[in-house]
Amino acid sequence: MKLEIDESRCKGCNLCTMVCPYRIYRQGNRPNRRGIYVPELDRPERCANCRLQELYGRRLCGICALICPDQAIRWVKEKPYEPMNVVIEY
Amino acid sequence: MREDWLRNDRLPHIYCAGCGNGTIMNCVLEAVDKAGYERDNTVFLSGIGCSSRAPGYIETDSLHTTHGRALAFATGVKMAKPSLNVVVFTGDGDIAAIGGNHFIHACRRNIDLTVVCMNNHIYGMTGGQGSPTTPIGKTSTTTPYGAVEVPFDLVDLAVAAGANYVARWTSYHVTQLTEAVLNGLNTPGFSLIEVRCQCPTSYGRRNKFREPKDYMDFLRSHAVLKEKWERTAKPGEELPAESFLVGEFVRRARPVMGVADET
Ligand SMILES: Cc1ncc(C[n+]2csc(CCOP(=O)(O)OP(=O)(O)O)c2C)c(N)n1
Ligand code: SF4
Ligand code: SF4
Ligand code: SF4
């Protein structure tokens, strides 16, 4: 699972930066096309839900998405991990 | 999933950045989803106000009625078809000022409704006039030198008038709020969940809570858990200034109206 902020919905209120126990959200400092300072994600792969949702089969934590007044935070499915064959050249 | 209840074509909603109403909507939808309600047998109602726009973003049948009259319409819906699940969104002005009488009588009749009051202490939509819940000393457009009237305590009002389930939380306590709404949905009879929330535009701006976060910090630091307070307070001790109790105030089984098999 991958954490994502929908830039077409976020209004830059920064409430998400208050609640995450891992402090994944950081106040943004660059305005986007609509002039909104969307928070930046600091290593979002640490999020409990990203790591464990599939294992547990339900949403974990999710406080940020619950508090986001603009329904802008969501998790998107990632492509399953595929082991790659690395060709080692000698 | 609560996302399935949203009308995505209507989003983003019109609420200002950081408005607590959006958070409360999330929590109510989460609770409704957890309660296992179906979209076909759930109705959302509201009066007029920013808070009352919430049903417009939810994909069920809904009634956006006149100012203060949501409970009257909800009573009609519930009495006509008790099998429906009826949830009412309302504001503090909506329920305590113009709709005050509907409120106490809905509590007295104990009609099987779940009412979520988004209490931002102000008339948000019309530009920030004082409401019956504006705390003493707070500035609004109609109280430019600070409010002098004693505000209503919505929880006390509902308990005294006879509601079966009464709780108070804030837009900061999202998990507890979701839990309380779920309890309200599952309790037959009238349930009131008062949610103290931020209105950065009309209230915060005039009361030194410029950023949405500032009011969140206030809510977090001034909400006193009812259970803890009752355990630790010395006899006669008053709550610190501006603090308020949060938690479940009443859960009882008075006779109810509008429940499918009892009418
Ligand atoms: C009968 C009637 N009186 C007055 C109004 C004007 N009016 C519209 S919204 C509102 C106040 C809403 O305040 P509240 O219920 O606290 O909701 P909020 O906007 O704060 O969420 C008022 C007085 C109206 N629409 N209808
Ligand atoms: S779900 Fe929890 S851990 Fe993950 S980003 Fe949101 S608040 Fe942080
Ligand atoms: S809480 Fe939501 S709307 Fe507010 S800054 Fe975070 S993602 Fe954006
Ligand atoms: S005026 Fe206040 S209550 Fe209305 S949308 Fe803006 S912040 Fe929310």
Side-chain angles (χ1 to χ4, degrees), chain A residues 8-9 11-15 17-19 27 34 53 59 62-63 65-71 73-74, chain B residues 1-3 6 8 11-13 15 17-19 22-23 25-26 171 174-175 178 198 212-213 216-217:
Chain A
S8 68
R9 288 194 184 170
K11 293 181 188 153
C13 64
N14 285 319
L15 293 184
T17 64
M18 289 183 75
V19 294
Q27 208 157 324
R34 292 156 62 228
Q53 179 173 34
R59 180 170 292 180
I63 297 295
L66 208 50
I67 209 161
C68 172
D70 288 281
Q71 295 83 32
I73 296 171
R74 58 175 166 227
Chain B
M1 291 286 270
R2 75 167 179 273
E3 287 81 359
L6 289 168
N8 285 311
L11 294 172
H13 48 57
Y15 297 148
C19 173
T23 305
M25 213 166 88
N26 289 343
S171 51
V174 281
T175 22
T178 308
Q198 72 277 24
K213 273 168 86 173
M216 280 291 192
D217 280 330

Side-chain angles (χ1 to χ4, degrees), chain A residues 17 24 45 51 64-65 72 77 79:
Chain A
T17 64
I24 285 172
E45 63 280 3
R51 287 185 281 119
C64 51
K77 277 218 164 64
K79 280 203 214 88

